[in-house]
Amino acid sequence: MSLKKICCIGAGYVGGPTMSVIAEKCPHIEVEVVDISEARIAQWNDEDLNNLPIYEPGLKEIVENTRNKNLFFSTDVARAIEESDIIFISVTTPTKQYGVGQGMAADLKYVEICARQIGKYAKSNKIVVEKSTLPVRTAEAIRDILENSDNDYSFEILSNPEFLAEGTAINDLLFPDRVLIGGNSDTESGIAAMNVLKDLYLNWVQDDHVVLSNVWSSELSKLVANAFLAQRVSSINAISELCEVTEANIKEVSKAIGMDSRIGPKFLNASVGFGGSCFQKDILNLVYISNSYGLKEVGDYWQQVITLNDHQKRRFAYKIVSKLYNTVSDKKITLLGWAFKKDTNDTRESASIYVADYLMNEQAKIVVYDPKVTAEQIYADLDYLNTRSEKENRALLEVVNDPIEACQDAHAIAIMTEWDEFKSYDWKSIYDNMFKPAFLFDGRALLDVESLKGIGFETYVIGKG
Ligand code: UDX
Ligand code: ADP
């Protein structure tokens, strides 16, 4: 098959950057990204590239190179499906908020809608690629829907999970550790479809980095990769609490164990807790699948990674309360960083949301500064928790665009995201303009704590006490 056009349903954190990189690396292929959200597509088409809906280093430059050449953004889902040889599904699969599996299983509503749309609008055979992280055996559901749709075309379903991490998405896409393609190798058409997708990646990825497997292995591998990464963070965070009550220092422990080549140095930074759209959702999914097959011990094992993460966020908030003489009522506490990690404007499951919420329950006056997250998003995150009314959220939390103003007259500052710019602040002048004693809680072990103490700050660093 000579590939002329591909499309992606869902112009989000995965679909947008992934399709931009494919367009950049495959100038001979037309790439169209479609979304039901007109506002989101308008942002992708905005002349001012600073208004793209996603902040990701390097993304702007690639979109500038390719947009309206071989990369297009539109809301015309039907036409894009009709014209494309390969259709990627990259829509959200949030944790289900209702019914069976509530709070655990993935909500496949949006994926199902996509499958039905493909069945309705396809006018030739198609390769359908699951790009969103999906529970194992979702491909089967997509196949069922397509086979029962009212048309005579054939559909090959592939799983091609995304391993990009936000903040480094472009680099991860350009130089992937591996590209995983799951398909049906029992049929000729299944093998052919896998090869079409493989050839697309071979435009820039080395042959031996492309791994073929069956669909279920591919789907499960995505969940397991995220569960293993999250488990490392929860493991080191568990040890951070132990370090705080002993003479051990978490940074020294991380370094020492990471030098063991069997363990390796990555994902061993203690933090206020992991966030992001994948880790918690994927582990909950793994737990749900395990439990639904009656594997209680397996489910309990992975559940503990989440339990520890919840504990880490709560413990950080309570540390702030206890250090501030057990009362934060009416005290100004500044949170630096709202995104779940640096170099992204994504806030899904960010630890900041939960820490702010705990402190607001204690009637603290929260001020937030984040270099890339909008006030609108911050309030939306809090409102979504449903802990208190929208009016109360706005009364208790203020969003400020200037970090120095945000810290003015604060009783305490908490570092929530590891943004590089926090390291270059004039901490002496920030200290001078705060209430005394001035507290600094470093949830990322980001700053040079000895020099902060020298300035006069009372400090607490995760993993150090
Ligand atoms: C993750 C996976 O890394 C990626 O492969 C997958 O496709 C999607 O999920 P992402 O959620 O974008 O990517 O970010 P990641 O870098 O994995 O960080 C997740 C969370 O763990 C962040 O909140 C981060 O701050 C935290 N983290 C990470 C730590 O607290 N300590 C670490 O050492 C590493
Ligand atoms: P991810 O991190 O998985 O990319 P996002 O929320 O950033 O998640 O993006 C998912 C996108 O999918 C959203 O922009 C949403 O509007 C879009 N979407 C959801 N359902 C559909 C659908 N049926 N058709 C087209 N777009 C959809």
Side-chain angles (χ1 to χ4, degrees):
M1 173 199 240
S2 94
L3 197 56
K4 288 194 198 67
K5 174 160 180 171
I6 66 173
C7 78
C8 175
I9 308 181
Y13 282 91
V14 172
T18 306
M19 293 301 126
S20 302
V21 167
I22 293 180
E24 167 98 348
K25 291 293 174 186
C26 309
H28 53 290
I29 295 172
E30 185 180 327
V31 180
E32 182 160 2
V33 191
V34 291
D35 203 292
I36 33 170
S37 162
E38 289 193 7
R40 195 161 245 203
I41 290 299
Q43 285 175 301
W44 280 108
N45 281 324
D46 198 306
E47 272 189 29
D48 182 352
L49 287 158
N50 292 315
N51 294 336
L52 294 183
I54 287 167
Y55 173 70
E56 191 66 58
L59 175 65
K60 201 165 86 171
E61 291 75 9
I62 291 191
V63 173
E64 186 171 23
N65 275 343
T66 52
R67 196 173 59 184
N68 298 329
K69 289 183 191 139
N70 67 326
L71 176 66
F72 301 90
F73 296 93
S74 92
T75 51
D76 197 345
V77 180
R79 185 188 40 74
I81 290 172
E82 189 184 328
E83 292 174 357
S84 299
D85 308 305
I86 304 186
I87 299 151
F88 290 82
I89 300 181
S90 194
V91 297
T92 20
T93 49
T95 304
K96 224 176 146 194
Q97 298 301 340
Y98 51 86
V100 178
Q102 180 182 9
M104 305 279 295
D107 191 339
L108 296 177
K109 189 166 71 181
Y110 304 103
V111 174
E112 183 172 336
I113 293 171
C114 287
R116 291 189 191 283
Q117 284 173 314
I118 296 170
K120 186 167 168 196
Y121 298 119
K123 298 215 168 70
S124 57
N125 299 344
K126 305 285 178 199
I127 297 173
V128 177
V129 184
E130 317 178 316
K131 199 70 185 152
S132 324
T133 307
L134 296 167
V136 183
R137 308 206 81 97
T138 303
E140 202 163 68
I142 298 178
R143 177 172 300 123
D144 254 9
I145 292 168
L146 289 173
E147 279 175 1
N148 288 301
S149 62
D150 191 17
N151 71 41
D152 299 328
Y153 306 111
S154 75
F155 299 92
E156 275 304 325
I157 322 295
L158 301 178
S159 157
N160 174 220
E162 192 47 74
F163 293 107
L164 66 80
E166 289 170 35
T168 54
I170 300 300
N171 201 60
D172 296 342
L173 286 161
L174 290 173
F175 309 102
D177 284 348
R178 80 308 207 178
V179 169
L180 186 53
I181 299 175
N184 183 359
S185 55
D186 293 336
T187 63
E188 253 175 55
S189 59
I191 296 170
M194 281 199 268
N195 282 324
V196 171
L197 189 57
K198 180 175 174 178
D199 285 344
L200 177 73
Y201 283 105
L202 289 184
N203 281 294
W204 78 98
V205 179
Q206 261 174 263
D207 199 336
D208 59 357
H209 280 46
V210 182
V211 182
L212 304 183
S213 73
N214 78 33
V215 180
W216 326 126
S217 303
S218 170
E219 290 179 328
L220 186 60
S221 300
K222 172 65 193 270
L223 295 186
V224 174
N226 277 342
F228 269 60
L229 290 170
Q231 181 200 41
R232 278 173 76 95
V233 178
S234 274
S235 298
I236 205 69
N237 282 347
I239 303 304
S240 76
E241 189 169 15
L242 190 57
C243 285
E244 287 172 24
V245 293
T246 62
E247 297 285 296
N249 175 329
I250 193 67
K251 284 211 160 172
E252 291 174 355
V253 174
S254 285
K255 187 171 175 200
I257 63 164
M259 285 173 78
D260 185 323
S261 61
R262 294 166 301 176
I263 298 174
K266 294 181 180 164
F267 270 69
L268 288 179
N269 290 323
S271 67
V272 54
F274 61 72
S277 69
C278 283
F279 279 6
Q280 170 154 318
K281 184 184 77 177
D282 290 354
I283 294 171
L284 286 173
N285 234 304
L286 197 58
V287 172
Y288 184 71
I289 294 167
S290 306
N291 288 342
S292 57
Y293 282 104
L295 309 177
K296 185 180 174 301
E297 288 76 8
V298 178
D300 288 352
Y301 177 79
W302 288 106
Q303 177 65 44
Q304 194 57 29
V305 174
I306 304 276
T307 304
L308 203 285
N309 197 48
D310 289 339
H311 169 67
Q312 189 79 345
K313 294 181 273 191
R314 218 175 305 116
R315 152 176 122 70
F316 186 77
Y318 292 162
K319 184 63 84 177
I320 296 178
V321 177
S322 75
K323 288 260 185 189
L324 293 179
Y325 317 107
N326 285 316
T327 172
V328 290
S329 172
D330 285 327
K331 289 181 181 165
K332 174 171 169 176
I333 300 175
T334 303
L335 304 186
L336 293 182
W338 191 264
F340 80 97
K341 64 189 276 197
K342 73 170 179 177
D343 290 340
T344 177
N345 61 345
D346 193 353
T347 63
R348 285 176 287 182
E349 290 302 327
S350 178
S352 294
I353 305 171
Y354 298 93
V355 170
D357 188 55
Y358 294 135
L359 294 172
M360 286 159 81
N361 280 342
E362 298 291 327
Q363 300 290 324
K365 291 206 166 311
I366 305 294
V367 174
V368 181
Y369 165 76
D370 186 287
K372 293 287 175 193
V373 180
T374 62
E376 233 179 335
Q377 184 60 51
I378 293 172
Y379 288 125
D381 290 336
L382 282 171
D383 295 342
Y384 186 74
L385 286 185
N386 229 344
T387 312
R388 58 189 81 70
S389 71
E390 293 185 9
K391 198 170 156 212
E392 282 169 305
N393 282 335
R394 280 144 194 81
L396 284 170
L397 183 141
E398 185 191 356
V399 182
V400 170
N401 287 327
D402 174 58
I404 306 304
E405 185 194 333
C407 297
Q408 175 92 32
D409 299 325
H411 288 80
I413 295 171
I415 306 287
M416 303 303 295
T417 311
E418 72 283 24
W419 286 103
D420 289 330
E421 68 168 61
F422 299 161
K423 291 189 269 190
S424 60
Y425 288 177
D426 178 354
W427 284 103
K428 168 80 175 74
S429 121
I430 290 176
Y431 172 81
D432 287 344
N433 290 310
M434 287 175 69
F435 248 88
K436 305 297 177 315
F439 289 85
L440 197 137
F441 298 88
D442 190 346
R444 295 280 179 170
L446 178 75
L447 303 176
D448 174 4
V449 64
E450 292 313 319
S451 75
L452 290 170
K453 276 187 183 153
I455 290 170
F457 277 108
E458 299 284 332
T459 61
Y460 162 82
V461 183
I462 204 95
K464 204 162 185 288

